[in-house]
Amino acid sequence: MTDRTPNDGRARRLFSRTSWPEARFLADVLRTETVGGGLLLLGAILALVWANSPWGDSYTALTRWVPWPGGADLHLDLSLGAWAADGLLAIFFFVVGLELKREFVAGELRDPRRAALPVVAAIGGMAIPALIYVGVNLGAGGDNLRGWAIPTATDIAFALAVLAVIGSHLPQGLRAFLLTLAVVDDLLAITIIAIFYTDDFHLLPLLGALVPIALFALLVQLRKTWWWALIPLAVVAWTLVHSSGVHATIAGVLLGFAVPVLGGRDGDRHGLAEHLEHRWRPVSAGFAVPVFAFFAAGVSLRGADLGAVVTDPIVIGIVAGLVLGKVLGIFGSTFLLARFTRARLDEDITWTDLLGVALLAGIGFTVSLLIGELAFGTGTAADDNVKAAVLSGSVIAALLASAVLVRRNAAYRRIAAAERVDADQDGIPDVYQHRNG
């Protein structure tokens, strides 16, 4: 897509190739998320198999086991499942906070013109699924509408993992678009959790959390990376935010935002945010998120009325939101932006490519499951249906996206092969003439 600036008169393209440092960073993220996505899938499969095996009761007992029952005063008498959702996911959201700040300061989102499309697409990709869910559940009554935000989230790890596996020859601009869209999606999802899914709010602990967060920010701004100081400060901040009633993962985002992105005066080209992201991303992708998936995805279908599950408005709303809503929101908002502005698709990108990415954004696993637990609680019938719906919708979206993108990848592979043949053929006469003087 193109827009012209009054300063230089040159056309700028959205979906265009990024600079080499950004391309290298993007490649590193894709490689890491491929492994993380595989581990995430493995954790979910293990949970599903165990929960539906003859030993399913032991899985339920493990999930509900409270390792520290004496922590009630600090609201820390949590089950293992709650520790995975509230504690381990704080690491995931810390990495998300680092990535968000990097994108706003030094990445795609620093330029409003380049950020406009993925931001608009992300907003559309969250608004339309929410409207579809509300439309399906409006007449259902009860607490069904509390789950309106479940189909709005896109799972970065899964989406990028699928794209990395099947998209070896897809244009880099398409990958950059998905990453930027997912980052904006995460920012909006974090905002939704903080505003709409905080029931029992206590101001004093939240104000108290500002003290360790400020000390953490001071140390990282001074480039003091003392683990024995930063980790305890992060733990205290997390504890106080959790005690305030705000979801504790917000502490991870705030700590991530506190880390400087740009290099310091010592000549280091890489900012502290990139160093910390490089260090903590393996912990997040390789441990925190897969463990959360293991405790969150174990929905038991033993003795369940599958007919009732399939016809449940909650399930229909989530699946329709993820599969249809994401496509309509992302593809539709992008088309309208191109239709009513001077922007246009980059010549290397087709609308079919964009359709595949819009379908891929319907993979809403980690954050969707988290919002489902916040909306309906854990261990309830509605919570089980939410898990089944999120898993089903994500699988359907992944399969549809793969069907589109595998064909597009094959087309780009043929184009690349033809270009190599043309280049080889063009070089033959020159070599022949050179050899024969």
Side-chain angles (χ1 to χ4, degrees):
M1 291 191 166
T2 302
D3 64 319
R4 296 183 177 274
T5 63
N7 296 330
D8 56 14
R10 293 176 298 180
R12 294 182 60 93
R13 292 180 184 273
L14 298 173
F15 291 139
S16 62
R17 290 182 175 85
T18 56
S19 62
W20 167 242
E22 290 180 342
R24 185 174 58 185
F25 176 82
L26 180 61
D28 291 339
V29 171
L30 289 173
R31 282 193 293 269
T32 303
E33 296 293 356
T34 303
V35 177
L39 293 174
L40 176 59
L41 181 61
L42 178 61
I45 292 175
L46 287 176
L48 284 170
V49 171
W50 190 357
N52 290 279
S53 72
W55 306 277
D57 292 339
S58 62
Y59 171 83
T60 303
L62 178 66
T63 302
R64 297 178 180 178
W65 179 57
V66 178
W68 187 30
D73 292 340
L74 295 176
H75 302 279
L76 298 180
D77 51 337
L78 306 176
S79 65
L80 281 182
W83 274 113
D86 294 355
L88 289 181
L89 273 196
I91 300 175
F92 166 76
F93 278 101
F94 173 69
V95 175
V96 169
L98 293 172
E99 189 174 30
L100 282 171
K101 187 171 182 180
R102 181 189 179 279
E103 288 296 321
F104 279 112
V105 175
E108 295 286 333
L109 299 180
R110 72 185 185 277
D111 186 347
R113 291 168 305 201
R114 297 179 69 178
L117 183 65
V119 169
V120 171
I123 294 173
M126 298 186 80
I128 301 301
L131 290 175
I132 289 177
Y133 180 93
V134 171
V136 172
N137 286 273
L138 194 58
D143 294 331
N144 286 23
L145 291 180
R146 285 185 55 82
W148 65 270
I150 296 173
T152 63
T154 295
D155 193 289
I156 294 179
F158 260 156
L160 290 179
V162 172
L163 186 63
V165 170
I166 66 177
S168 58
H169 289 77
L170 292 174
Q172 179 192 315
L174 206 60
R175 295 181 173 92
F177 171 76
L178 177 60
L179 178 60
T180 307
L181 181 145
V183 167
V184 176
D185 185 285
D186 268 349
L187 176 61
L188 296 176
I190 292 165
T191 305
I192 288 173
I193 292 173
I195 296 176
F196 296 101
Y197 292 97
T198 298
D199 294 329
D200 189 16
F201 177 69
H202 304 285
L203 180 60
L204 190 58
L206 185 62
L207 293 177
L210 297 179
V211 176
I213 292 175
L215 292 175
F216 183 96
L218 177 62
L219 289 178
V220 294
Q221 291 295 330
L222 295 175
R223 300 303 197 275
K224 304 299 183 183
T225 56
W226 303 321
W227 66 267
W228 48 266
L230 294 180
I231 293 179
L233 287 173
V235 171
V236 172
W238 178 91
T239 303
L240 290 172
V241 171
H242 184 274
S243 299
S244 72
V246 176
H247 199 265
T249 53
I250 303 300
V253 179
L254 296 176
L255 293 170
F257 281 164
V259 179
V261 170
L262 302 178
R265 298 179 180 178
D266 54 1
D268 187 3
R269 295 187 299 110
H270 306 289
L272 184 57
E274 187 172 346
H275 286 296
L276 290 180
E277 185 176 352
H278 178 75
R279 177 169 296 182
W280 284 97
R281 184 177 289 277
V283 179
S284 170
F287 178 72
V289 175
V291 171
F292 166 76
F294 173 77
F295 283 108
V299 54
S300 176
L301 299 177
R302 294 179 301 165
D305 185 353
L306 295 182
V309 172
V310 173
T311 57
D312 184 355
I314 293 177
V315 174
I316 297 174
I318 293 173
V319 174
L322 290 174
V323 178
L324 298 178
K326 283 290 184 180
V327 174
L328 293 176
I330 295 172
F331 191 88
S333 60
T334 305
F335 178 81
L336 291 176
L337 189 64
R339 175 67 177 82
F340 294 105
T341 68
R342 292 179 296 175
R344 62 182 176 86
L345 281 177
D346 186 271
E347 59 186 9
D348 293 333
I349 305 295
T350 69
W351 285 106
T352 307
D353 300 333
L354 185 61
L355 174 63
V357 169
L359 285 166
L360 201 59
I363 302 176
F365 192 83
T366 305
V367 181
S368 291
L369 289 176
L370 174 62
I371 295 176
E373 291 185 357
L374 294 176
F376 298 109
T378 57
T380 63
D383 181 47
D384 289 341
N385 288 355
V386 166
K387 292 177 180 179
V390 170
L391 291 172
S392 301
S394 297
V395 169
I396 294 171
L399 292 176
L400 292 176
S402 298
V404 173
L405 294 177
V406 164
R407 295 187 62 183
R408 295 304 303 155
N409 190 65
Y412 284 115
R413 184 187 294 113
R414 290 193 295 269
I415 293 173
E419 290 177 347
R420 286 196 298 269
V421 171
D422 291 342
D424 293 341
Q425 291 176 348
D426 290 341
I428 290 176
D430 296 334
V431 175
Y432 180 83
Q433 292 176 7
H434 176 71
R435 288 181 176 177
N436 289 273

